Amino acid sequence: MTDDHMYSGMAALSVCEALLLALNDAGILPEKEIMGVLTDAAATHENAVGSATDVERHQAAAALLRRIIAGGNSVRRG
């Protein structure tokens, strides 16, 4: 993965996290729904098909999402 792709992914994750926090803060999406969004995203990556490289990348994305879900990250603020 090139540095540009890595940085793009980090930026996208930060923007998505900020949007999920804002949706929760505004009372638009409760935590349960936000966790559902993250769970659905992880499942989509876990079920992805393609070349071995593509599948490996999707599995890595799913693992990251599962760690965010398990760790609570900042989306879960109690």
Side-chain angles (χ1 to χ4, degrees), residues 1-77:
M1 182 178 294
T2 66
D3 284 347
D4 285 346
H5 284 106
M6 182 175 63
Y7 301 140
S8 296
M10 290 170 59
L13 182 59
S14 295
V15 169
C16 289
E17 181 180 11
L19 288 170
L20 290 173
L21 287 169
L23 290 168
N24 185 256
D25 289 346
I28 296 169
L29 278 180
E31 180 184 322
K32 179 181 175 184
E33 294 295 326
I34 290 169
M35 297 311 288
V37 168
L38 294 172
T39 300
D40 288 349
T44 297
H45 284 288
E46 288 166 345
N47 294 313
V49 296
S51 70
T53 300
D54 289 340
V55 170
E56 182 179 345
R57 288 179 181 158
H58 282 289
Q59 292 298 317
L64 175 58
L65 288 161
R66 294 291 180 192
R67 285 194 307 272
I68 290 170
I69 293 164
N73 205 349
S74 60
V75 173
R76 283 188 173 169
R77 292 187 282 177

